[in-house]
Amino acid sequence: MPEGPELHLASLFVNRMCGGVVFTGPVQKSEVSKNPEVSFSCPAYTIIATSRGKEVRLTLTPQKSDSAQGRCRRGKTGQVNQVQTMDIVFRFGMSGFFRFTTEAELPKHSHLRFYTNEKPCRVLSFVDTRRFGSWQPNGTWQLNRGPCIMFEYLSYRENVLSHLSDRAFDRPICEVLLNQKYFNGIGNYLRAEILFRLNIPPFVKARTVLEGLQTHLSDEDRKSVVKVEVTDTEVKEEVTNTEVKEEVTDREISDRAAVKEDESETPDLLRLCHTVPLEVIKLGGKGYDPEKMDYADFKSWLQCYCVEGMKSVRDHNGRTMWFKMPKQR
């Protein structure tokens, strides 16, 4: 926690709060953070966010205006350097999230800050109490992470099924579900909920669970799922040209176009890894609400993770796995 749905909701939060807002000056890093400095300073720029699996990218775009046009950052030699658009890729670790506050209400553990061009100014902050989160200036999506389970369903599914011979799938299914090379966006609470719904024992070999799924996706399903795939360019254009609403995700088409299950069939594991996170996104602010910290609906949604009556045990990586108690005979 946070996992793929929370990072997507975090990107929606940034877009909702920062839509139409102009930022200014340098990006400021806290003194205690060991993450890199962000060498970006501009008299006027905007911020939009995009998510992919367990990563969020902020795009800082310089804006032209009568007062700011032609004004750029001046280097040590005195020459003027044109400010270019910068992408900053965030990984939230155990406790990262974004806040948007007044400067006077700046959170204690805000480790990267973006200041608005207004008086009194407001601040978009990356807050991380435990400091396991990270950011990378001029960053890109990590190459060792697979396609997003939520918004690149077809690519994600094919990536898993085409690599079942890899040694990674010799491991228990509960551990493989945390492997971001194949399940980009799944974390501890999602794996528990998904395995619980399918009544899959957590320590069964992953290949045993997945090897029968290669031909499960029909040609008709494939055509439907293709609609789920949304490019980064399309997302950026949508955020730029339309008002971002809290209740509607920037890729709502994913939920609408998701492959429909035959009610007579049990959905397979790969499908649930796609649809269960979308359920969390539907909770909206009740799943990720850095302003009110209200998670009542999310806690009610949980069926297995940290739920009374469930059993927990450490996996081989030291992560706590929650699962259903076996029935007593």
Side-chain angles (χ1 to χ4, degrees):
M1 186 82 175
E3 303 179 17
E6 286 72 39
L7 271 76
H8 181 66
L9 288 167
S11 72
L12 297 183
F13 171 81
V14 170
N15 291 334
R16 178 171 61 87
M17 302 305 295
C18 300
V21 175
V22 176
F23 292 79
T24 190
V27 178
Q28 297 186 8
K29 181 178 81 77
S30 69
E31 294 181 355
V32 298
S33 175
K34 295 182 180 180
N35 281 298
E37 297 281 351
V38 177
S39 299
F40 181 93
S41 182
C42 185
Y45 67 94
T46 57
I47 298 177
I48 61 172
T50 311
S51 71
R52 183 177 187 267
K54 280 195 175 185
E55 298 178 294
V56 171
R57 181 180 64 205
L58 296 189
T59 299
L60 316 185
T61 305
Q63 300 295 296
K64 294 181 179 180
S65 65
D66 293 339
S67 59
Q69 189 170 7
R71 294 173 60 190
C72 304
R73 186 174 54 211
R74 188 171 295 276
K76 293 182 180 179
T77 61
Q79 70 182 50
V80 174
N81 302 318
Q82 183 66 43
V83 180
Q84 302 294 326
T85 296
M86 175 183 282
D87 288 334
I88 308 173
V89 176
F90 290 78
R91 296 154 199 118
F92 281 20
M94 295 291 291
S95 60
F97 62 91
F98 289 109
R99 288 288 303 274
F100 192 60
T101 65
T102 65
E103 189 173 14
E105 298 172 328
L106 198 65
K108 179 179 179 181
H109 298 284
S110 58
H111 295 300
L112 198 66
R113 301 183 287 270
F114 309 83
Y115 291 82
T116 64
N117 187 14
E118 59 189 350
K119 292 184 179 180
C121 75
R122 292 176 291 171
V123 188
L124 175 68
S125 303
F126 178 66
V127 184
D128 186 10
T129 304
R130 302 184 68 177
R131 282 189 253 167
F132 291 155
S134 65
W135 60 79
Q136 185 62 50
N138 296 312
T140 59
W141 306 128
Q142 281 187 324
L143 296 178
N144 61 349
R145 291 177 183 265
C148 178
I149 54 162
M150 298 173 291
F151 302 112
E152 298 170 314
Y153 174 68
L154 181 58
S155 299
Y156 134 73
R157 185 181 180 97
E158 291 182 344
N159 182 51
V160 172
L161 295 180
S162 64
H163 289 90
L164 288 184
S165 61
D166 289 3
R167 293 180 61 184
F169 293 94
D170 291 337
R171 302 185 67 83
I173 185 62
C174 68
E175 296 180 8
V176 174
L177 285 177
L178 298 185
N179 187 335
Q180 300 302 294
K181 180 178 179 180
Y182 300 108
F183 296 91
N184 186 11
I186 296 294
N188 214 20
Y189 84 78
L190 282 175
R191 68 169 177 175
E193 296 300 314
I194 292 164
L195 294 177
F196 171 79
R197 294 190 186 195
L198 293 175
N199 199 28
I200 296 175
F203 293 99
V204 170
K205 183 185 294 188
R207 190 178 296 106
T208 302
V209 177
L210 298 168
E211 61 186 354
L213 304 183
Q214 287 93 330
T215 60
H216 185 78
L217 204 61
S218 67
D219 290 340
E220 183 177 352
D221 283 346
R222 290 172 66 88
K223 292 178 182 179
S224 177
V225 176
V226 166
K227 299 178 183 179
V228 177
E229 306 279 357
V230 182
T231 68
D232 294 335
T233 301
E234 290 171 335
V235 171
K236 185 178 295 185
E237 288 177 351
E238 182 175 349
V239 172
T240 303
N241 298 326
T242 62
E243 180 181 358
V244 179
K245 298 181 180 181
E246 181 179 14
E247 311 85 31
V248 182
T249 74
D250 55 2
R251 304 178 208 176
E252 188 179 22
I253 186 174
S254 174
D255 197 14
R256 293 172 180 169
V259 180
K260 295 183 179 180
E261 295 287 347
D262 186 331
E263 293 182 358
S264 64
E265 295 182 0
T266 300
D268 67 46
L269 178 67
L270 296 181
R271 183 66 56 76
L272 279 191
C273 288
H274 166 66
T275 58
V276 171
L278 292 179
E279 292 180 17
V280 180
I281 290 176
K282 279 186 177 181
L283 296 176
K286 300 300 183 180
Y288 178 90
D289 189 356
E291 297 298 307
K292 298 179 181 179
M293 297 293 184
D294 180 5
Y295 304 116
D297 284 6
F298 173 72
K299 291 179 179 179
S300 297
W301 173 85
L302 292 171
Q303 300 179 32
C304 178
Y305 183 76
C306 290
V307 172
E308 185 178 356
M310 297 298 157
K311 187 175 182 179
S312 64
V313 66
R314 294 292 183 96
D315 63 21
H316 294 103
N317 296 316
R319 302 290 301 276
T320 302
M321 176 66 213
W322 291 81
F323 60 100
K324 185 177 182 180
M325 290 281 290
K327 293 183 178 180
Q328 299 293 329
R329 293 186 176 180

